[in-house]
Amino acid sequence: MTARPVFVFDFDSTLVRIETLEALADLALAGVADAPAVRDQIGRLTDAAMAGDIDFGAALRSRLALLPLTRAHVDALADRILDEGTPSVRRNRQWFLDNADRVVIVSGGFREIIAPIAERLGVAAERVLCNDLRYDAEGRVTGVDEANPLSQAGGKAVAIRALNLTAPVIMVGDGWTDAEVKQAGAADRFYAFTEIARRAPVMAAADAVAASMDELLHAEGERGRFSYPPSRIRILLLENVHPAAVERLEDAGYTVETEAGALDEAALIERLKGVHVLGVRSKTQVTARALASADRLLAVGAFCIGVNQIDLAAAAARGVAVFNAPYSNTRSVVELAVGLTIALMRDVADKSAAMHGGVWNKSAAGSRELRGKTLGLVGYGAIGSQLSVLAEGLGMRVVFHDLTERLALGNARRARSLNALLAESDVVSLHVDGRGENTALIGAAQLAMMKPGALLLNLSRGHVVDVDALAAAIDAGRLGGAAVDVFPEEPRTNADPFDSPLRGRRNVILTPHIGGSTEEAQEAIAEFAADRLLAYLNRGDTTFCVNLPNVQLAEVTGGHRILHIHRNQPGVLAELNQTLSAAGLNILGQHLKTDERTGYVITDVDRDYDPQALTALKTVAGTLRFRLLH
């Protein structure tokens, strides 16, 4: 039986995301007049040594000679070095702890800096091979132990040979001194580690390139934190999704690509090739045809409230999970609704336009207070109910209409019908979802039922209001004004023109679908939707999924997790368990959740099994999607 390999890791830009000497230079040169020039010289020496252009030992001595380095500087960096761990190393810490007897750290860096990281990863002190700094009586760094081979060129290979390892040796690092280990015959394989630094000569000399620890462990059959390396999972975010989402997903190790605008169906089909996760806002239409062409798609994230732009049934039929952010921009929409109501009541938009045209029209005619007026809310979900509370605080009476039974907040009361609400309200604000049944919910007949001079707000979906009928009601003087944030047809990008029958009407405020477009809301949406996608990718959690059964799951511990999405038909669970039993897998835990069309089975099993045994699970009748985690 072949011995399990020993993994030998470089330190700088591999286990940590910094170059130690450059970080020490920042500390030692603080306040020094020519610090930028010295830092630049040290950086050039580091790059030249890592690329193999100059001798490592000479570069080390030259860099130390440039610095007024003291023990205090070294201690300061050692104190914060745990915060500098490479992201994928931190994600896979448990693998290091479980395999510490198969890990060696070899570095031209310094023991004081490396020791805290080694201890955090469970690597014993005798398995850390590095340089030892020398100090004078005043604590100034005078150099390194010249007898240590790691202070000289080719020292890593010498140090590794001295360990007399009998198992295969895998060298992992980002620099030329790491490539030299394989070239000198002291390692069986060399991986160029590129999560922090990419050096072309090093990559060219490597047996393979690993963009993260996840990729390395996957390539070596170690698995580690994830069964499939996140860096190989492609995530495409469209329509200027907030950078917080990109940061959250990249920090978790995933490869993220972004597009500024929306894509039409043809462009989306082309762009989805090889993409595992798609993120959109409100403009990109994720059609059944686009979903059918997506060869690797696992999930779609709607970085907004609505999901009517996504064919949910088609996604479910392909086992593609869809998530949204149903509450993250609630406050932003509510505040805009309050502001627009006040602006309409006071005729602010028209008076402001007149002022810009040089007309001074100081008059109270037609200007009213909110206090004592009746606000009618069509839809009493998260937005409608919160608007209800704020409106009452401003002295308004609130009535609401909702097809779902809702708890009335404060003094709000349910209207007997939509028509009754329209007849009673001074202000009608729409907060319904985008389902087809809501098309033209407010048309000519409904507008005719509203109180003369009443106001209408639509911050929900464009197709909910017949805009031609609304324009006619405004022109006829039937309504006192309107504020519209959403439209039946909206420009795909900011560069495209906008047109609507409502343009140019008196006391009509038009806004470009900005109800949830505040910095706070967009960041909250980005974080919430990204977290839901990560929960699904990392542990199979479907909480807040809008098209598959919702299952809340903890992290996998001590086993492997099998995720099986299937059509809701008789016999699937029985066949699945028969297949698991035939493969000799021991089930640690299992959960089944179904809805009217789809079933979702989560099975945690012992790790001791033949991976080929899982192939049969993909052939279980009704299977839509099969995934293995950890």
Side-chain angles (χ1 to χ4, degrees):
M1 182 176 177
T2 305
R4 299 180 73 191
V6 171
F7 289 82
V8 180
F9 291 97
D10 175 44
F11 186 73
D12 291 3
S13 297
T14 301
L15 295 182
V16 293
R17 56 191 176 188
I18 62 170
E19 288 291 328
T20 297
L21 262 175
E22 293 182 8
L24 287 172
D26 290 339
L27 294 169
L29 296 172
V32 176
D34 60 344
V38 177
R39 286 194 189 94
D40 183 60
Q41 192 171 354
I42 289 172
R44 289 200 304 272
L45 286 167
T46 298
D47 290 341
M50 291 299 99
D53 296 334
I54 60 175
D55 175 87
F56 175 79
L60 175 61
R61 288 186 288 275
S62 296
R63 287 179 290 175
L64 286 175
L66 289 167
L67 293 175
L69 199 58
T70 68
R71 188 183 297 275
H73 299 135
V74 176
D75 290 344
L77 181 57
D79 285 343
R80 67 173 175 86
I81 194 63
L82 292 179
D83 297 329
E84 302 292 350
T86 304
S88 72
V89 172
R90 294 198 303 268
R91 287 197 302 271
N92 288 285
R93 182 183 173 221
Q94 190 59 49
W95 179 88
F96 282 90
L97 294 173
D98 293 342
N99 296 276
D101 59 338
R102 300 168 54 216
V103 172
V104 175
I105 299 174
V106 176
S107 172
F110 313 124
R111 191 170 306 279
E112 293 95 326
I113 309 301
I114 297 173
I117 292 287
E119 183 178 359
R120 170 68 65 85
L121 298 177
V123 180
E126 62 270 18
R127 300 180 73 83
V128 178
L129 312 179
C130 57
N131 277 306
D132 294 286
L133 289 168
R134 293 289 181 256
Y135 302 89
D136 63 18
E138 283 74 38
R140 293 187 293 263
V141 173
T142 58
V144 295
D145 179 6
E146 296 289 344
N148 188 331
L150 289 165
S151 68
Q152 308 296 330
K156 286 187 176 180
V158 174
I160 292 170
R161 284 200 191 94
L163 294 174
N164 296 315
L165 299 171
T166 57
V169 173
I170 298 171
M171 183 69 213
V172 183
D174 68 293
W176 187 253
T177 58
D178 306 308
E180 287 179 331
V181 172
K182 167 71 183 298
Q183 294 176 345
D188 297 275
R189 292 188 292 282
F190 167 56
Y191 283 87
F193 189 77
T194 60
E195 183 170 357
I196 306 303
R198 297 175 61 88
R199 297 182 170 97
V202 178
M203 295 164 64
D207 295 293
V209 174
S212 67
M213 205 60 63
D214 307 301
E215 282 201 16
L216 168 70
L217 298 178
H218 183 267
E220 286 296 322
E222 298 284 328
R223 300 302 184 186
R225 175 66 180 79
F226 297 95
S227 300
Y228 191 74
S231 55
R232 294 189 187 178
I233 293 180
R234 293 175 56 202
I235 299 177
L236 173 63
L237 303 181
L238 306 178
E239 303 182 58
N240 283 322
V241 167
H242 194 279
V246 179
E247 181 180 358
R248 188 69 61 95
L249 295 166
E250 287 184 339
D251 282 351
Y254 293 91
T255 298
V256 181
E257 306 163 30
T258 61
E259 295 275 357
L263 297 180
D264 61 24
E265 185 180 64
L268 182 62
I269 288 172
E270 182 64 28
R271 198 70 176 81
L272 278 177
K273 292 177 180 177
V275 169
H276 298 86
V277 177
L278 172 66
V280 300
R281 292 175 69 188
S282 58
K283 289 186 173 64
T284 300
Q285 299 298 307
V286 185
T287 62
R289 183 164 170 258
L291 289 164
S293 69
D295 53 348
R296 297 188 180 180
L297 195 63
L298 299 173
V300 176
F303 286 76
C304 53
I305 293 178
V307 290
N308 58 296
Q309 73 277 35
I310 302 167
D311 191 325
L312 299 181
R318 304 189 68 82
V320 176
V322 179
F323 298 89
N324 66 337
Y327 309 116
S328 301
N329 67 358
T330 298
R331 182 70 183 195
S332 296
V333 177
V334 167
E335 288 187 4
L336 181 62
V338 171
L340 290 172
T341 303
I342 294 172
L344 289 172
M345 283 283 193
R346 301 294 297 273
D347 196 24
V348 169
D350 287 353
K351 284 186 167 61
S352 176
M355 290 287 286
H356 281 285
V359 177
W360 179 273
N361 181 22
K362 186 179 186 303
S363 170
S367 292
R368 296 168 289 167
E369 294 181 351
L370 295 187
R371 182 175 51 179
K373 305 301 186 296
T374 298
L375 171 64
L377 296 170
V378 182
Y380 202 67
I383 294 173
S385 58
Q386 189 171 140
L387 178 55
S388 169
V389 173
L390 291 188
E392 279 199 7
L394 292 169
M396 299 187 80
R397 296 185 296 269
V398 177
V399 296
F400 67 90
H401 170 70
D402 199 298
L403 298 179
T404 303
E405 187 63 35
R406 303 284 189 182
L407 175 65
L409 302 180
N411 294 314
R413 59 182 176 82
R414 179 184 288 272
R416 297 188 310 277
S417 65
L418 174 60
N419 290 346
L421 179 144
L422 295 174
E424 181 180 359
S425 302
D426 299 294
V427 180
V428 174
S429 191
L430 308 177
H431 302 286
V432 298
D433 61 33
R435 72 185 71 180
E437 295 90 331
N438 286 330
T439 300
L441 179 68
I442 304 297
Q446 290 74 31
L447 294 168
M449 295 178 189
M450 293 176 63
K451 294 174 65 173
L455 307 175
L456 178 68
L457 280 70
N458 184 17
L459 285 80
S460 58
R461 291 291 179 267
H463 64 265
V464 170
V465 174
D466 180 339
V467 290
D468 290 306
L470 176 58
I474 294 291
D475 290 344
R478 174 69 187 168
L479 297 187
V484 181
D485 185 52
V486 289
F487 303 87
E489 295 181 5
E490 297 181 357
R492 191 173 295 277
T493 69
N494 288 344
D496 295 331
F498 165 75
D499 197 12
S500 169
L502 297 172
R503 287 177 55 194
R505 263 62 189 186
R506 64 173 184 80
N507 203 27
V508 172
I509 301 175
L510 306 180
T511 50
H513 205 146
I514 58 171
S517 295
T518 61
E519 293 180 3
E520 295 89 345
Q522 290 306 304
E523 183 172 1
I525 288 171
E527 292 177 348
F528 184 89
D531 284 346
R532 296 321 316 151
L533 290 171
L534 288 174
Y536 181 63
L537 292 172
N538 295 347
R539 61 179 187 269
D541 189 306
T542 52
T543 306
F544 288 105
C545 182
V546 297
N547 70 326
L548 296 179
N550 276 211
V551 182
Q552 186 173 3
L553 299 170
E555 293 283 352
V556 184
T557 56
H560 282 183
R561 177 165 289 169
I562 297 168
L563 307 177
H564 191 271
I565 302 172
H566 58 270
R567 287 187 290 274
N568 187 4
Q569 61 188 47
V572 174
L573 184 60
E575 185 179 349
L576 184 66
N577 284 335
Q578 287 172 3
T579 305
L580 290 169
S581 177
L585 273 69
N586 180 43
I587 297 177
L588 302 175
Q590 190 172 60
H591 193 100
L592 167 67
K593 189 75 175 289
T594 62
D595 59 23
E596 66 276 5
R597 62 191 173 197
T598 312
Y600 185 29
V601 179
I602 303 95
T603 308
D604 290 348
V605 301
D606 273 336
R607 289 174 172 167
D608 187 17
Y609 63 88
D610 181 359
Q612 294 301 317
L614 298 178
T615 304
L617 297 176
K618 301 177 184 179
T619 64
V620 171
T623 298
L624 298 173
R625 177 78 59 179
F626 170 85
R627 291 174 60 210
L628 173 68
L629 297 181
H630 313 281

